[in-house]
Amino acid sequence: MGDKVDEVSDLAAAAKEALAPAQGGIVGRQAHLKILLHAAKHPWAETSGMLIGTETKGKISVTDAIPFCHAPMMAPIVEIGTAFVEEYCKSEQTPEGSKIFGWFYATSRGNVDTVPKPTLAVFKKLQTVSGTQGTCLVRVLNKNLSDESTTALDIMTLKSSGDGFSSSSQWKTELDNTKEFTKLLKEGRQDIVFDMDDFMHDSTSDWRNLNLV
């Protein structure tokens, strides 16, 4: 009898954990650098893209960033790109259990505090796709790109009201500065970043950027 009770308790605990919303996480090195290099390639444009990663015990690890646009977002690119990324997450080129966990963006007008409405719409859509309330939105802090002592990123989550974002203390970055980004910038690595926009015009442009960093 005792064994059965323990078994039921274990199953209940596992179910509770599976249903619990993710509580924060970490943006890994590769994702961090790709986000910054994508913004650096298009300093006068709005850049954006998707975050993918894995989840363990309610904590998300963002392992990669997939650049999407270097212009105002177009629905067809987002829809087609999302389908590509979902299939990519199932491939052997990504960690087991990978899925979409958020969106990143940089504005063309410096540090704009208000999240663009199209970005909010895409973010809410991605929450449905990922099936978690822990999805994050990462904003590039343009004015901090030249300050190596900062991460140049602001990691935000959707407010409970659903109409805005706030910086989250539950999210961290693996890199605590931009020194490696500066090094890659000097090497010209930003020039070989490709996004979904590029892929739509030239199918040889690899939006996965497998060997970028």
Side-chain angles (χ1 to χ4, degrees):
M1 181 69 177
D3 291 341
K4 288 186 177 180
V5 171
D6 290 341
E7 184 177 345
V8 171
S9 297
D10 290 342
L11 289 172
K16 183 178 180 181
E17 180 178 305
L19 292 171
Q23 298 296 321
I26 186 167
V27 174
R29 168 188 171 274
Q30 178 172 253
H32 193 157
L33 292 173
K34 284 186 178 181
I35 291 169
L36 297 184
L37 289 170
H38 187 219
K41 183 177 182 179
H42 306 285
W44 309 116
E46 296 179 12
T47 58
S48 58
M50 195 167 281
L51 303 172
I52 64 174
T54 58
E55 181 182 347
T56 304
K57 296 182 178 179
K59 293 293 183 181
I60 296 171
S61 175
V62 174
T63 56
D64 205 356
I66 309 297
F68 263 53
C69 306
H70 56 267
M73 285 185 291
M74 301 291 288
I77 290 179
V78 174
E79 291 177 8
I80 294 171
T82 299
F84 278 132
V85 174
E86 286 180 315
E87 289 304 309
Y88 180 51
C89 286
K90 299 174 186 176
S91 75
E92 295 181 354
Q93 294 174 320
T94 59
E96 185 176 357
S98 291
K99 60 180 181 177
I100 297 166
F101 274 115
W103 190 256
F104 70 86
Y105 78 100
T107 69
S108 58
R109 300 178 299 281
N111 291 328
V112 178
D113 291 332
T114 304
V115 175
K117 288 184 178 179
T119 300
L120 175 60
V122 169
F123 183 86
K124 288 185 174 181
K125 183 83 171 181
L126 292 183
Q127 280 199 314
T128 302
V129 171
S130 68
T132 175
Q133 295 301 307
T135 318
C136 68
L137 177 67
V138 175
R139 175 178 60 176
V140 176
L141 300 175
N142 296 315
K143 71 178 183 181
N144 291 350
L145 286 174
S146 59
D147 183 355
E148 291 188 350
S149 67
T150 73
T151 65
L153 296 183
D154 181 19
I155 308 176
M156 303 177 288
T157 53
L158 192 64
K159 293 179 180 178
S160 57
S161 60
D163 60 356
F165 294 84
S166 59
S167 299
S168 175
S169 61
Q170 294 183 316
W171 279 88
K172 308 294 182 184
T173 55
E174 182 180 351
L175 299 176
D176 60 5
N177 58 63
T178 57
K179 291 180 180 179
E180 188 173 1
F181 163 68
T182 300
K183 178 177 178 291
L184 293 173
L185 206 59
K186 291 177 179 177
E187 295 173 0
R189 302 296 287 180
Q190 72 277 11
D191 295 332
I192 56 173
V193 178
F194 296 109
D195 57 24
M196 288 290 178
D197 268 342
D198 297 317
F199 177 74
M200 295 300 175
H201 291 91
D202 178 3
S203 61
T204 64
S205 299
D206 190 355
W207 48 266
R208 299 169 301 172
N209 298 289
L210 294 176
N211 301 311
L212 181 64
V213 298

